[in-house]
């Protein structure tokens, strides 16, 4: 999905030109934000439902009571940045606070 959408954005940007693309960029970003939030939410709910059948101490579905969230986010940001750099040659700076 990521590569397909990335290529589509590059095609639109090439067809419109940088200046015209910047005029619609906010709308494109909003569409992608909505798409990915819904996709993430759906995957979360499905995985949580599947794993809820198994009972384990300190765990409820996919929710664990002792998690290093900051480290998980930093790792995910580094992986996403590396994937962007590999695929497109550039990547946004991601700051985990």
């Amino acid at each position: 999905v990521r590569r397909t959408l990335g290529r589509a954005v590059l095609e639109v940007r090439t067809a419109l030109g940088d200046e015209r693309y910047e005029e619609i960029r906010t709308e494109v970003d909003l569409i992608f934000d909505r798409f990915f939030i819904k996709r993430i939410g759906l995957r979360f709910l499905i995985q949580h439902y599947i794993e809820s059948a198994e009972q384990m101490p300190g765990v409820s579905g996919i929710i664990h009571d002792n998690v290093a969230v900051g480290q998980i986010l930093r790792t995910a940001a580094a992986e996403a940045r590396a994937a962007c750099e590999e695929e497109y040659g550039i990547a946004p700076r991601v700051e985990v606070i």
Side-chain angles (χ1 to χ4, degrees):
V1 171
R2 182 186 77 231
R3 288 183 181 167
T4 303
L5 291 175
R7 284 190 200 117
V9 168
L10 289 175
E11 285 180 25
V12 169
R13 192 174 199 155
T14 301
L16 295 177
D18 287 340
E19 188 174 315
R20 177 77 173 103
Y21 177 76
E22 286 302 318
E23 293 174 12
I24 65 165
R25 183 177 181 168
T26 303
E27 188 175 344
V28 172
D29 288 346
L30 182 61
I31 291 167
F32 281 142
D33 286 347
R34 287 180 182 159
F35 171 78
F36 283 112
I37 292 296
K38 288 177 182 177
R39 185 169 189 247
I40 290 167
L42 184 59
R43 291 185 70 178
F44 177 89
L45 290 173
I46 291 169
Q47 192 66 33
H48 183 68
Y49 176 77
I50 291 168
E51 293 191 26
S52 291
E54 190 176 327
Q55 299 295 318
M56 294 177 12
V59 178
S60 174
I62 60 173
I63 301 170
H64 297 242
D65 65 0
N66 187 14
V67 177
V69 175
Q71 185 56 45
I72 292 170
L73 293 175
R74 281 186 279 285
T75 300
E79 290 173 0
R81 186 171 168 77
C84 286
E85 286 176 347
E86 180 180 324
E87 185 69 24
Y88 306 109
I90 59 171
R93 187 175 72 80
V94 178
E95 181 180 352
V96 177
I97 54 172

